[in-house]
Amino acid sequence: MQILPANLLDLNALRKLEDESFGKDAWSLLDLIAVLTMPDVIRLKAVEDGQMVGFVAGDPRPRDGWGWIATIAVAPRYRRRGIGRALLHACEAKLNVPRSRLTVRVSNQSAISMYQQEGYVTTDIWSGYYNDGEDGIVMEKALSNSPEGL
Ligand SMILES: CC(C)(COP(=O)(O)OP(=O)(O)OC[C@H]1O[C@@H](n2cnc3c(N)ncnc32)[C@H](O)[C@@H]1OP(=O)(O)O)[C@@H](O)C(=O)NCCC(=O)NCCS
């Protein structure tokens, strides 16, 4: 498995990955084009056998002192093999900010477990954050590549 920069040529593969990973929460085509083209966004893909099997995007906000993990997904049949964790590490390393933040559905136990294992702690609950009214958990981590995390 390799982790490589993603670009607009990955649009179709990313659409498929989003649909199979997020269902009703999948980003629109415009959102996907934006994440693959906007300046400053970190976009990395996990590639195995020449195919995209995972994706992560990060949104650095250096003036705020943190960056957001905007999305992360691994194709269902490649899960539980460390690819999600590897993508998360790679994105954190490139954010180049003191803290990393993300939101996750309260029901998304597998993702919450991964984030907890990786040192994220809950800092807030956003009530009704998702389209269907489910709450979002905001999690945060001090990054070791930043002065705060040393
Ligand atoms: C969350 C996701 C990216 C994890 O990817 P992955 O490649 O399976 O993750 P890893 O193999 O690196 O697992 C890392 C840790 O996450 C936790 N984890 C992952 N899947 C899990 C599951 N089904 N049940 C419980 N814990 C799980 C475990 O702690 C695991 O460590 P372990 O295998 O040593 O026990 C993947 O499940 C996914 O794409 N889900 C759908 C999209 C999604 O929900 N993204 C997050 C939105 S906030």
Side-chain angles (χ1 to χ4, degrees):
M1 192 274 294
Q2 281 183 296
I3 295 183
L4 301 170
N7 62 41
L8 199 51
L9 295 176
D10 297 303
L11 182 61
N12 284 340
L14 182 57
R15 265 192 111 173
K16 181 168 177 281
L17 177 66
E18 273 277 310
D19 285 344
E20 61 191 8
S21 296
F22 292 107
K24 61 185 186 309
D25 289 335
W27 284 1
S28 70
L29 184 59
L30 276 182
D31 290 334
L32 297 179
I33 292 172
V35 83
L36 289 172
T37 56
M38 272 169 56
D40 299 330
V41 169
I42 292 150
R43 36 192 166 252
L44 298 168
K45 59 183 175 181
V47 177
E48 201 163 297
D49 302 326
Q51 284 189 316
M52 180 198 279
V53 299
F55 179 80
V56 65
D59 180 11
R61 307 274 176 92
R63 271 185 243 158
D64 297 328
W66 65 74
W68 289 96
I69 303 294
T71 187
I72 182 166
V74 173
R77 70 189 187 91
Y78 291 87
R79 287 182 191 158
R80 223 57 207 267
R81 290 172 33 184
I83 296 176
R85 181 180 287 133
L87 283 168
L88 188 61
H89 286 173
C91 190
E92 289 170 351
K94 285 191 177 293
L95 277 175
N96 203 24
V97 288
R99 307 185 80 75
S100 169
R101 288 184 173 176
L102 53 87
T103 54
V104 56
R105 280 181 177 268
V106 290
S107 62
N108 192 347
Q109 197 48 57
S110 48
I112 293 169
S113 297
M114 178 173 77
Y115 299 139
Q116 285 174 336
Q117 235 183 41
E118 291 306 313
Y120 284 81
V121 295
T122 298
T123 54
D124 205 354
I125 305 284
W126 287 349
S127 182
Y129 176 68
Y130 290 95
N131 284 341
D132 59 0
E134 186 170 334
D135 293 349
I137 301 179
V138 183
M139 301 185 86
E140 189 170 310
K141 173 185 178 180
L143 296 179
S144 57
N145 58 353
S146 70
E148 229 180 304
L150 289 176

